Amino acid sequence: MSDGQVEREHDIVVYGATGFAGKLTAQYLAAAGGSARIALAGRSAERLLAVRESLGENAQSWPLIVADAAQPSTLAAMAASTRVVVTTVGPYLRYGLPLVAACAAAGTDYADLTGEPLFIRRCIDEYHKQAADNGARIVHACGFDSIPSDLTVFGLYRRVQQDGAGQLGDTNFVVRRFAGGVSGGTVASMVELAREVSADPEARRVLNDPYTLSPDRAAEPELGGQRDARWRRGRDIAPELDGYWVGAFAMALPNTRIVRRSNALLDYAYGRRFEYAEQMSLGRSVLAPLAAAMTTGGNIATMELGGRFLDRVPRNVLERVLPKPGTGPSEQARENGHYSVETYTTTSAGARYVARMSQQADPGYKGTSVLLGESGLALALDRDKLYDLYGVLTPAAAIGDALIDRFPAAGVAFETSRLA
């Protein structure tokens, strides 16, 4: 696996280090980064200094870099100085493209937290070829959106391949447990996405395509209507879920498109009949069917109404009532959060498998900072484990094996099993 990059001053630059998610990522890297050469970047030298002073002894020698999306030359200098830029600066549709451009031009690897399919589509259209030519890996969706989705499917593929049990067929991601807040950055990204599609019917059409992020739309299999999430009995997914009801998972739309792009980037290694949907468990009580139906209906209504009319709502009205980017819950709330997901598949040979992934951490904040930090470390330090793939990638296609290898030390539980 080749690596055409020249030696750089830094291994990782955390861009947006003065924001809430950026500071959490820097804290994680200060504890888990080992010998990695890390720098902090943002718009204010004074705020960067305050963040560095809060990170403990390991971080006190980290360089500080002043860089601003409004000044592309500062992004270019930052990208040229490092192997990897890890960025938490969103919403990415509004602020992200200049940094992707700088990394693609410099041949610098990049990881972000975006859950915005239209932003990723623009990066593909505008920078995939340049990044590939220059040996850069632009890796989107490296937080709770969409690593549990992308990596559990990748882990199933690896296990099925090892067992010689065919290819992945009907595959379903199920959130079994979830406790934690929704980050202000995620909410801002979803609002920005809804604004974009409400003002542009063509963007709405692109977003509704299950293969929004395909590298070659014409090459995708025609499998009929593919719903990203479904309201149904758990036993329709797997016997192990008998008695449970499942409904739409809020992040199914971006996650499913990331997973389908991974399959295409890996030359359809999952299979040409691979189908994928995401749900969350609503339990097995007498009210569970109603809860599943309401969750699914509310998800659909929010996307439909927001995707058609949100551009008519003044931006300042929404900013007053929604969580703000750069804010988050207390340390106790972040520590008490957790999630557990299971992804089930039936292969072309009729074998059944499940992949399980969990973290004892708030998914949107602490859990995400661990996943993003480890993604940056995998890109910077585990380059011998990476595929010879460059351009605009997904976590599975860029760092799948390396990241799974890193999970145990990072406190992320991950396993695959063959089912009866």
Side-chain angles (χ1 to χ4, degrees):
M1 300 181 185
S2 63
D3 178 1
Q5 289 191 348
V6 298
E7 184 62 30
R8 305 292 178 95
E9 182 181 356
H10 315 299
D11 292 318
I12 299 173
V13 168
V14 180
Y15 178 57
T18 59
F20 199 88
K23 184 176 179 180
L24 288 176
T25 304
Q27 287 175 346
Y28 179 74
L29 289 171
S35 61
R37 300 167 302 158
I38 298 168
L40 304 177
R43 291 183 297 174
S44 166
E46 183 178 355
R47 292 179 64 196
L48 286 170
L49 180 61
V51 168
R52 186 176 69 182
E53 289 177 347
S54 73
L55 296 180
E57 183 179 350
N58 291 346
Q60 296 314 300
S61 63
W62 289 1
L64 306 179
I65 300 171
V66 176
D68 188 343
Q71 298 178 289
S73 62
T74 64
L75 299 183
M78 177 180 71
S81 73
T82 185
R83 279 185 159 190
V84 183
V85 174
V86 166
T87 174
T88 61
V89 179
Y92 293 90
L93 265 172
R94 196 188 307 182
Y95 301 117
L97 281 172
L99 179 56
V100 173
C103 289
T108 298
D109 290 351
Y110 161 108
D112 69 22
L113 297 175
T114 189
E116 304 166 53
L118 291 181
F119 168 70
I120 301 172
R121 183 69 256 175
R122 289 182 185 172
C123 291
I124 295 167
D125 293 341
E126 297 181 26
Y127 300 112
H128 175 76
K129 184 179 185 306
Q130 183 184 30
D133 289 345
N134 290 337
R137 297 178 177 94
I138 307 298
V139 191
H140 298 298
C142 291
F144 184 69
D145 316 326
S146 305
I147 280 179
S149 310
D150 205 29
L151 269 291
T152 53
V153 175
F154 181 80
L156 287 172
Y157 152 65
R158 281 298 203 210
R159 178 63 183 270
V160 170
Q161 179 190 50
Q162 175 186 327
D163 290 355
Q167 294 183 312
L168 307 188
D170 186 29
T171 303
N172 286 273
F173 173 94
V174 181
V175 179
R176 295 299 304 274
R177 296 186 301 114
F178 183 99
V182 178
S183 76
T186 295
V187 172
S189 293
M190 293 174 71
V191 168
E192 198 69 22
L193 177 64
R195 278 191 173 279
E196 184 81 7
V197 299
S198 65
D200 184 353
E202 175 60 17
R204 193 181 313 133
R205 183 196 66 77
V206 170
L207 186 66
N208 288 333
D209 183 348
Y211 297 112
T212 302
L213 304 181
S214 174
D216 183 357
R217 183 62 181 86
E220 297 291 352
E222 290 299 334
L223 302 176
Q226 293 191 63
R227 287 179 293 174
D228 298 322
R230 305 164 189 167
W231 167 49
R232 53 182 171 168
R233 296 176 185 269
R235 69 187 183 207
D236 294 336
I237 294 174
E240 292 76 10
L241 299 177
D242 189 26
Y244 290 89
W245 284 83
V246 300
F249 179 48
M251 297 308 296
L253 188 148
N255 292 343
T256 52
R257 282 145 180 76
I258 289 287
V259 171
R260 293 179 189 127
R261 179 168 174 81
S262 292
N263 188 30
L265 289 170
L266 296 172
D267 198 23
Y268 299 96
Y270 301 169
R272 299 289 300 182
R273 304 298 301 174
F274 170 72
E275 294 189 58
Y276 182 71
E278 295 200 349
Q279 294 82 202
M280 65 182 300
S281 172
L282 277 303
R284 57 198 310 173
S285 73
V286 68
L287 296 177
L290 177 62
M294 291 178 64
T295 298
T296 304
N299 186 279
I300 293 171
T302 299
M303 290 304 300
E304 284 294 319
L305 294 175
R308 292 182 181 275
F309 305 114
L310 196 65
D311 63 319
R312 303 179 189 180
V313 180
R315 191 181 293 273
N316 64 339
V317 172
L318 290 173
E319 289 176 348
R320 283 201 296 267
V321 299
L322 294 175
K324 293 178 173 55
T327 62
S330 67
E331 181 178 358
Q332 181 179 1
R334 297 196 304 271
E335 293 293 333
N336 290 339
H338 57 82
Y339 71 86
S340 174
V341 305
E342 297 173 351
T343 302
Y344 293 86
T345 194
T346 300
T347 75
S348 57
R352 294 196 311 115
Y353 290 82
V354 63
R356 296 183 173 92
M357 178 172 170
S358 61
Q359 281 182 276
Q360 184 60 44
D362 178 272
Y365 293 95
K366 183 179 178 182
T368 280
S369 69
V370 171
L371 297 175
L372 180 61
E374 290 294 341
S375 296
L377 291 168
L379 285 167
L381 305 181
D382 300 338
R383 304 176 82 82
D384 60 326
K385 296 182 180 180
L386 309 184
Y387 285 109
D388 274 335
L389 289 175
Y390 303 93
V392 178
L393 305 177
T394 61
I399 53 175
D401 291 314
L403 194 53
I404 289 174
D405 287 348
R406 284 185 161 272
F407 281 163
V412 179
F414 188 95
E415 65 173 2
T416 58
S417 305
R418 187 165 183 163
L419 299 170

